[in-house]
């Protein structure tokens, strides 16, 4: 059974700092990995999706990397802003049984002005 | 472009009552899923569908039923509500060619069972 872990569970940083969020998974037979943002009381917003054959994806100040063999992904946020405060979730889609996506428990990020 | 729409947004039920959570998407996505989100446990898959008329169980299906009569709609039914089903429920959709296509989520239904 796939297990997805996100450490730390919570992170507080001053505005302007660069930061890295971590996601690890136990089964490397994945199709893709997706990073989401969740604001309090809201749904999930997709940030980046990395295919299993890719090493990284970038969107603006966000960069996600994937090392499938070691079961790790990182989300890099450059020059953090208070508006980045949210919970960040990673989700792994398996290479067979596409629908059985497994989510991590998330990292709650607070960016302090 | 509405995306994925969930209704209601909030609901309070008494133990033993039944209800249906509605989910509709307007993106012509074949794949749809229901998740529940509980504190400290992340999102867990309840049921999913790969197209009209086809559904299957996820990780935590007990106490829930689904059906998929159209591509657009994927309702989730609680047969006899229990306090353990107090949670936030999310519906998601994605196209059949999942390749580089992200899942799209609704805003959730916050359900309390008394």
């Amino acid at each position: 059974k796939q297990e997805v872990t996100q450490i730390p569970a919570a992170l507080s940083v001053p505005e302007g700092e660069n930061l890295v969020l971590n996601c690890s998974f136990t089964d490397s037979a994945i199709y893709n990995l997706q990073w989401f943002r969740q604001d309090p009381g809201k749904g999930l917003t997709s940030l980046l999706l990395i295919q299993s054959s890719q090493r990284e994806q970038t969107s603006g100040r966000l960069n996600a990397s994937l090392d499938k063999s070691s079961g790790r992904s990182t989300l890099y946020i450059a020059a953090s802003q208070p508006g980045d405060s949210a919970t960040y979730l990673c989700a792994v889609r398996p290479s067979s049984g596409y629908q059985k996506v497994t989510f991590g428990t998330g990292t709650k990020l607070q960016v302090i002005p | 472009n509405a995306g994925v729409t969930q209704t209601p947004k909030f609901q309070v039920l008494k133990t033993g009552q039944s209800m249906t959570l509605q989910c509709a998407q307007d993106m012509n996505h074949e794949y749809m899923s229901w998740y529940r989100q509980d504190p400290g446990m992340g999102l867990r898959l309840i049921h999913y569908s790969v197209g009209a008329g086809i559904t299957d169980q996820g990780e935590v299906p007990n106490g829930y039923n689904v059906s998929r009569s159209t591509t657009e709609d994927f309702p989730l039914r609680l047969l006899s509500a229990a306090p353990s089903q107090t949670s936030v429920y999310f519906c998601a959709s994605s196209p059949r060619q999942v390749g580089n296509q992200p899942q799209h989520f609704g805003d959730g239904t916050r359900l309390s069972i008394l």
Side-chain angles (χ1 to χ4, degrees):
Chain A
K1 177 186 174 184
Q2 176 75 271
E3 294 182 2
V4 181
T5 303
Q6 292 184 250
I7 295 174
L11 181 63
S12 184
V13 301
E15 181 177 2
E17 189 165 297
N18 301 327
L19 60 101
V20 174
L21 305 180
N22 297 297
C23 172
S24 61
F25 47 94
T26 56
D27 187 347
S28 62
I30 70 169
Y31 192 80
N32 62 36
L33 184 146
Q34 193 169 355
W35 282 93
F36 293 90
R37 170 188 173 131
Q38 186 176 30
D39 293 290
K42 300 293 186 181
L44 280 68
T45 300
S46 179
L47 298 173
L48 289 166
L49 183 148
I50 311 178
Q51 299 273 62
S52 63
S53 59
Q54 296 175 322
R55 297 286 292 182
E56 65 178 50
Q57 281 285 331
T58 298
S59 176
R61 294 183 294 109
L62 305 180
N63 176 278
S65 69
L66 175 65
D67 185 341
K68 194 172 70 167
S69 61
S70 67
R72 297 182 65 182
S73 177
T74 61
L75 179 67
Y76 174 83
I77 302 177
S80 58
Q81 303 170 358
D84 295 330
S85 298
T87 297
Y88 291 80
L89 298 159
C90 67
V92 174
R93 187 184 288 275
S95 55
S96 64
Y98 290 157
Q99 289 308 298
K100 297 191 175 181
V101 175
T102 303
F103 279 80
T105 53
T107 295
K108 185 174 183 179
L109 173 65
Q110 182 181 23
V111 180
I112 303 168
Chain B
N1 187 2
V4 179
T5 302
Q6 290 185 237
T7 56
K9 295 189 183 301
F10 302 93
Q11 184 70 50
V12 179
L13 292 178
K14 294 182 179 178
T15 298
Q17 286 186 315
S18 62
M19 81 160 292
T20 299
L21 280 62
Q22 302 291 343
C23 175
Q25 53 91 10
D26 62 358
M27 297 171 283
N28 202 32
H29 286 170
E30 293 88 350
Y31 292 172
M32 297 185 74
S33 304
W34 275 103
Y35 297 88
R36 60 178 289 173
Q37 184 177 35
D38 301 294
M41 300 193 70
L43 278 77
R44 291 181 292 169
L45 183 65
I46 304 172
H47 285 286
Y48 64 92
S49 169
V50 298
I54 306 170
T55 63
D56 207 344
Q57 296 181 350
E59 180 184 357
V60 288
N62 293 341
Y64 307 95
N65 269 358
V66 292
S67 59
R68 183 99 179 268
S69 56
T70 67
T71 298
E72 294 77 20
D73 300 300
F74 189 42
L76 178 71
R77 297 182 186 84
L78 278 71
L79 309 174
S80 178
S84 61
Q85 293 178 304
T86 293
S87 188
V88 182
Y89 291 84
F90 288 101
C91 179
S93 74
S94 57
R96 181 186 299 278
Q97 299 302 322
V98 297
N100 62 349
Q101 299 300 314
Q103 280 191 299
H104 297 262
F105 279 80
D107 287 340
T109 294
R110 284 145 187 83
L111 181 63
S112 293
I113 315 295
L114 304 179

